[in-house]
Amino acid sequence: MTVKVAVLMGSASDTERMAAASSTLERFGIEADVRVLSAHRNPVQVAEFASGARQAGYSAFICGAGMAAALPGVVAAHTTLPVVGVPLSGSALNGVDALYAIVQMPPGIPVATVGIDAARNAALLVVHILAVADADLARRLEEFRADQSAPRS
Ligand code: RP5
């Protein structure tokens, strides 16, 4: 069965900064379902999608947002699947606003926060989480690590 991860972003303007999330997941044979959904502009749709995600066969969320970045936290409020938040730059505060918004979740509703614009690491963290119970994914992760460490000419 194909593993499926939801990759959400708050705006179509986030597409370029979030592109590495889906390409990295796909490199590991994980299906990335990419959607533009804003916690502020589409609050009802975000709640509905997050609430039904486990039942719909998703294994995890990657949520990228900029500015007052509520998306990862709102998704986490509606699911017990792992949520990785990606603070995005592009604002007057260059992503520090989004970083603070995403990283400081209240106790009980966790979001794993990666660096500003670190969509690739968000995907790799999801691969690590899923590889705990997936030997084939764990093997591919080992290969990826070995390849990454190999000297380049
Ligand atoms: C956030 O506001 C989005 O994630 C985006 O990073 C930022 C600006 O959105 P747009 O005004 O470009 O749609 O919600």
Side-chain angles (χ1 to χ4, degrees):
M1 200 182 75
T2 312
V3 179
K4 187 168 64 166
V5 169
V7 177
L8 307 187
M9 61 197 83
S11 168
S13 67
D14 299 327
T15 303
E16 204 175 313
R17 289 184 182 88
M18 286 299 291
S22 50
S23 60
T24 303
L25 290 172
E26 282 157 8
R27 177 194 173 128
F28 285 91
I30 296 172
E31 182 185 335
D33 181 5
V34 181
R35 297 173 183 230
V36 174
L37 277 177
S38 162
H40 297 118
R41 293 166 175 159
N42 321 103
V44 174
Q45 293 92 324
V46 169
E48 282 175 359
F49 183 67
S51 306
R54 183 184 290 274
Q55 190 65 24
Y58 293 89
S59 296
F61 278 90
I62 295 173
C63 300
M67 304 181 85
L71 183 62
V74 170
V75 167
H78 289 285
T79 184
T80 53
L81 293 173
V83 178
V84 179
V86 187
L88 298 177
S89 63
S91 68
L93 300 182
N94 267 329
V96 174
D97 41 2
L99 172 65
Y100 284 176
I102 294 173
V103 80
Q104 291 291 359
M105 286 296 291
I109 309 292
V111 167
T113 309
V114 294
I116 295 171
D117 293 337
R120 185 166 186 258
N121 262 2
L124 289 171
L125 180 55
V126 164
V127 175
H128 281 234
I129 292 167
L130 300 180
V132 169
D134 185 330
D136 187 48
L137 206 47
R139 183 187 49 75
R140 274 181 272 168
L141 207 40
E142 292 294 343
E143 286 170 3
F144 170 80
R145 281 292 181 91
D147 182 52
Q148 189 173 242
S149 314
R152 309 269 174 228
S153 55

